[in-house]
Amino acid sequence: MPPADQRGGGRQAVKVTEVEVVVLTPPGTAVDCARPTTAEFDGKITATGPGKVRFHWTFGAGPAPVSPGSADFPAGTSTQALLHVADVPPRPNATTMTVFVTLHLPDQKMSARSGPVMFTCEKK
């Protein structure tokens, strides 16, 4: 009969203590909404290492993972910053556009959603 408690069974020692997403694009940025644009976000993962933390982003309410990757953490506690530039599709008839992203850490069962980025549409 296998032991009831198998902690550490080959898993890495890294433990994420915080995940957050900060909006870098200034609010109210004026763009031509008939053209694609971008929004910038800074994901921050704080963990006690050592180990590797896998992540991916999702855009808006869409479920499709984008920009997957991993961050390596040394022993001790440290924070990794992850710049993410999201492609924002055009919305030709809009007067404003609001978008957000979510940073997911699937192995840690954690995620963090950004605040909204609101664009003001310029009439060209």
Side-chain angles (χ1 to χ4, degrees), residues 84-107:
H84 179 64
V85 179
D87 293 320
V88 180
R91 295 184 191 149
N93 298 318
T95 55
T96 62
M97 294 191 303
T98 303
V99 299
F100 66 91
V101 296
T102 304
L103 175 60
H104 301 271
L105 311 180
D107 297 335

Side-chain angles (χ1 to χ4, degrees), residues 36-89:
T37 191
T38 59
E40 293 184 358
F41 302 90
D42 188 20
K44 294 185 180 181
I45 302 171
T46 302
T48 301
K52 185 177 294 235
V53 174
R54 291 186 321 128
F55 64 85
H56 68 266
W57 299 83
T58 53
F59 178 75
V66 293
S67 301
S70 62
D72 289 314
F73 287 86
T77 301
S78 61
T79 300
Q80 299 272 346
L82 312 165
L83 175 67
H84 179 64
V85 179
D87 293 320
V88 180

Side-chain angles (χ1 to χ4, degrees), residues 29-31 33 91-98 118-123:
T29 298
V31 298
C33 293
R91 295 184 191 149
N93 298 318
T95 55
T96 62
M97 294 191 303
T98 303
M118 189 169 132
F119 292 101
T120 301
C121 298
E122 293 179 332
K123 296 297 180 199

Side-chain angles (χ1 to χ4, degrees), residues 3-22:
D5 186 1
Q6 293 187 354
R7 284 184 209 182
R11 296 189 142 244
Q12 51 195 2
V14 69
K15 177 172 176 28
V16 174
T17 56
E18 184 177 6
V19 58
E20 66 178 313
V21 179
V22 177

